[in-house]
Amino acid sequence: MRIAFLGLGVMGGPMAGHLQRAGHDVVVYNRTASRADAWVTEYGGQQAATPREAAAGADLVCACVGADADVREVTVGPDGAFHGMRADAVFVDHTTASAAVARELHEAARARGLHFIDAPVSGGQAGAQKGQLSVMCGGDEEPYTRVEPVLKAYGKMVARIGDSGAGQLCKMVNQLCIAGLVQGLAEALHFAKQADLDIPAVMSVVSKGAAQSWQMENRWQTMVDGQFEFGFAVDWMRKDLGIVMDEARRNGARLPVAALVDQFYAQIQARGGQRWDTSSLIALLDGK
C-alpha cells in the first residue's frame, strides 16, 4: 500500500517504521521537520511538508498526534490530510483522543467520500518499538476490514470494537484499569516496605496468583528502586484521564477511584514529576 503517517513521536515513529519494513510505500509528516528527516534516514521512505501533501494518492493515512485539536489540524485544518486524500481512502487515527472528535471526523470524512477509523493503541513505547501494540478500533466495518491486516505490522491485537468512537471509549476503559492497578500496586509495595518484608520473595509468590498483572510483572522492581523513566508519562495519563472524566460526565458513569488517582497524579506533577512514568504513584506514599 501507499501509506502516509502523520506524527513521528515515541509511538508514531516506530509504528511508521514497521509499515515501511513490511514493504509498504510510506510517506511521513511531522510538525518538527528534523524528526521526519531522521526517520527517513533510519527507515527510508519519503517525507512531506504538510499532511495534505503526505496524503496525496495514499490508500491509507495514519496519524498519531497529541490531542483533539491536533487531530483536527492534521485532518480538516488548512493543510489537513482530508484535502489531499483520494476518494474511498481510509484515515486511521491512533491518537488517544475523545470519542466526540472521532465521531465528528467520521462524519466529516464521510461527507468527502472518505473513511475514518478511530484506533487508539496500548502498549507504550516498548510495544511500539517491538510491534506488540493492542489496537482498539471504532468505525465502519468495510474500511476496517480493509486496513486490519496492515495494522498488524505493529499490533499484536487488532480489533474492531464497534461504530465510530468505540475505539476511543475502549481506550478509556484501558486507562481506567491501569490507573486503579498502579495505585493498588503502589500501596501494596509501600505496605510491604513498612512491614519489613522481603519484597522480591513476596512478589515471586503474589505475581503467580490472582494479584498478577502486567504492571506487577514489569514495574514492581523499578517502583521499589524509585526509578520512573519507563515510558508512559504522568502528563499523558492526566490528559487521558481528563478525556475519561469528560466522557463520564456525559454518560453518567461514576468513577470515584479514577478521580482520586487523577488527583494523586496532579500531586506528582506539582512535585516536578510530569515526565515520570505512571508507576511514580508510589513516590507519594514513600514521601519522595
Side-chain angles (χ1 to χ4, degrees), residues 33 81 135 140 174:
V135 188
D140 298 332
N174 185 83

Side-chain angles (χ1 to χ4, degrees), residues 140-192:
D140 298 332
E141 191 166 359
E142 187 280 324
Y144 167 77
T145 302
R146 204 190 311 168
V147 301
E148 179 188 34
V150 182
L151 304 185
K152 289 182 177 178
Y154 42 75
K156 67 176 179 179
M157 167 59 76
V158 182
R160 178 179 177 268
I161 306 302
D163 292 336
S164 181
Q168 294 296 353
L169 293 170
C170 183
K171 179 62 183 288
M172 294 177 208
V173 172
N174 185 83
Q175 300 308 75
L176 285 168
C177 291
I178 291 173
L181 281 169
V182 176
Q183 180 62 21
L185 180 57
E187 292 184 14
L189 291 170
H190 174 70
F191 179 90

Side-chain angles (χ1 to χ4, degrees), residues 26-114:
V26 181
V27 181
V28 297
Y29 162 80
N30 195 73
R31 187 161 48 190
T32 303
S34 59
R35 185 164 283 182
D37 292 336
W39 188 93
V40 171
T41 299
E42 181 174 358
Y43 295 104
Q46 306 170 61
Q47 63 175 301
T50 66
R52 181 175 188 163
E53 290 179 20
D59 305 296
L60 169 65
V61 181
C62 297
C64 191
V65 291
D68 285 20
D70 303 297
V71 181
R72 288 191 183 96
E73 181 65 24
V74 299
T75 52
V76 296
D79 288 313
F82 281 12
H83 303 302
M85 293 169 67
R86 64 169 181 78
D88 202 39
V90 184
F91 191 103
V92 174
D93 181 30
H94 292 303
T95 310
T96 296
S98 70
V101 80
R103 296 181 186 117
E104 170 193 323
L105 293 173
H106 177 266
E107 291 305 312
R110 177 179 288 179
R112 291 168 168 81
L114 308 172

